[in-house]
């Protein structure tokens, strides 16, 4: 299973707004937007009747998923599904957790877990057939997963066509997901045509930017990410594009001043959060600062990373390399 598929499912599950009308989740919205999941768990645990409010429990499960507590989450989700068998969002979240477990598991267990996740996702769609995000997740799975785990390009195309009949923009995004598996150029052309017709659609711009970067067209990718960030009203997607502007500046040398500004905004918004890219954002900003001969600023930026060693091995390795450059 491809990492991009799992991350897509994870983020869409965490940022979902599907909640019961009788439950007021507004007090928790700022924590969700800033991905402060540990703080969210603390607040939820203090609610006296937490156990009797399924939507608050769902928020707790989403926080566990984001924090990588997949194994502990699995039995909780199974019990909750038995208690609330008509909750589509619960099945959707369960599917995302199964996909994460599949990726973390062995070669022997991964296909079975992936297929179990597929079944849960299909159940979510059966319960709420008009929810396009579930269908988008299904397209991602069919297009990216290997055949042994349930992947099927033909099925991906069928679902993408069905989405297109309901929503032209979402249909284009779905079709691009399928095309990019074998031909990024065709996916780029599809998105480019759609953008020419609807230049204010932020999701089209972001998807196009992502594929441009995959195609090594980094300058254009940065430009489209900037446009997308300016149009998005949803913080999660807006800051996703801002992070990419910063990453391209640090790694590819694209517009370092704009990249530094984008990363500074990202860091400020997600300060004290559990966002998986927060530590990376600190390193990327420091890299830009060092290239700009501002060693003092770079040292200050990475100070939090030196105070607490990052958990990600790739980040630790790149940080060690950067420290050598900083001292050189």
């Amino acid at each position: 299973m491809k990492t991009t598929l799992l991350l897509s499912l994870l983020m869409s599950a965490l940022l979902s707004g599907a909640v019961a009308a009788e439950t007021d989740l507004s007090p928790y919205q700022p924590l969700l937007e800033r991905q402060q999941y540990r703080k969210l768990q603390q607040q939820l645990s203090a609610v006296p009747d937490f156990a009797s409010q399924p939507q608050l429990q769902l928020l707790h499960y989403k926080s566990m998923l984001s924090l990588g507590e997949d194994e502990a989450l699995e039995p909780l989700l199974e019990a909750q599904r038995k208690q609330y068998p008509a909750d589509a969002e619960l099945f959707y979240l369960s599917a995302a957790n199964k996909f994460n477990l599949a990726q973390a598991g062995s070669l022997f267990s991964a296909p079975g877990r992936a297929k179990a996740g597929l079944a849960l996702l299909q159940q979510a769609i059966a319960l709420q057939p008009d929810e396009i995000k579930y269908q988008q997740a299904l397209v991602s799975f069919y297009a990216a997963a290997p055949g042994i785990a349930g992947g099927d390009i033909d099925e991906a195309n069928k679902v993408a066509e069905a989405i297109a009949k309901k929503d032209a923009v979402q249909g284009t995004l779905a079709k691009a997901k399928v095309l990019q598996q074998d031909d990024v150029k065709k996916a780029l052309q599809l998105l480019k045509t759609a953008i020419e017709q609807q230049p204010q659609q932020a999701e089209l711009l972001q998807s196009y930017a992502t594929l441009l970067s995959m195609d090594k067209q980094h300058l254009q990718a940065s430009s489209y990410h900037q446009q997308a960030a300016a149009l998005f009203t949803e913080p999660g997607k807006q800051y996703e594009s801002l992070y990419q502007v910063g990453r391209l500046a640090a790694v590819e040398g694209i517009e370092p001043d704009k990249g530094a500004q984008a990363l500074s905004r990202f860091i400020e918004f997600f300060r004290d959060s559990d966002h998986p890219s927060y530590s990376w954002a600190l390193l990327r900003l420091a890299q830009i600062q060092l290239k700009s001969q501002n060693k003092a600023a770079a040292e200050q930026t990475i100070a939090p990373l030196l105070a607490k060693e990052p958990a990600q091995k790739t980040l630790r390795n790149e940080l060690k390399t950067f420290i050598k450059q900083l001292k050189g």
Side-chain angles (χ1 to χ4, degrees), residues 33-208:
E33 289 180 348
R34 286 171 170 77
Q35 300 195 26
Q36 295 176 327
Y37 296 113
R38 288 182 175 85
K39 290 184 179 180
L40 175 61
Q41 289 183 345
Q42 291 173 0
Q43 289 194 16
L44 290 174
S45 65
V47 176
D49 57 345
F50 168 73
S52 64
Q53 296 196 49
Q55 295 306 320
L56 293 186
Q57 290 177 298
L58 190 63
L59 289 186
H60 179 69
Y61 298 152
K62 289 181 180 182
S63 71
M64 292 181 67
L65 179 62
S66 178
L67 294 170
E69 300 170 359
D70 307 318
E71 292 287 354
L73 179 56
E74 182 70 2
L76 298 177
L77 288 171
E78 185 176 354
Q80 195 78 343
R81 290 197 306 273
K82 291 178 180 178
Q83 189 172 358
Y84 300 99
D87 189 332
E89 188 73 5
L90 181 59
F91 278 84
Y92 179 54
L93 185 64
S94 298
N97 196 58
K98 282 288 188 184
F99 293 143
N100 279 1
L101 287 170
Q103 180 159 313
S106 67
L107 292 175
F108 298 102
S109 65
R113 286 176 165 177
K115 288 180 179 178
L118 172 59
L120 289 164
L121 181 56
Q122 291 171 329
Q123 182 64 22
I125 293 172
L127 289 168
Q128 200 167 338
D130 293 331
E131 180 54 72
I132 289 181
K133 74 170 184 178
Y134 299 167
Q135 296 169 40
Q136 286 283 18
L138 186 59
V139 171
S140 295
F141 180 87
Y142 279 140
I148 192 174
D152 189 322
I153 288 294
D154 290 337
E155 288 298 319
N157 279 313
K158 289 179 183 178
V159 180
E161 289 292 343
I163 293 174
K165 292 178 180 178
K166 299 178 182 179
D167 187 306
V169 170
Q170 292 299 316
T172 298
L173 292 169
K175 290 178 181 179
K177 287 180 189 178
V178 182
L179 284 173
Q180 75 182 64
Q181 302 302 318
D182 297 315
D183 196 330
V184 172
K185 295 290 187 184
K186 286 185 178 180
L188 282 169
Q189 185 57 53
L190 175 68
L191 290 168
K192 181 180 179 181
T193 300
I195 289 170
E196 289 170 351
Q197 297 171 354
Q198 301 184 76
Q200 300 300 307
Q201 286 288 344
E203 285 190 277
L204 292 175
L205 295 170
Q206 187 179 69
S207 181
Y208 188 53

Side-chain angles (χ1 to χ4, degrees), residues 273-287:
S273 81
D274 303 298
H275 195 293
S277 295
Y278 180 78
S279 295
W280 278 106
L282 292 173
L283 177 58
R284 296 307 185 204
L285 178 57
Q287 289 171 332

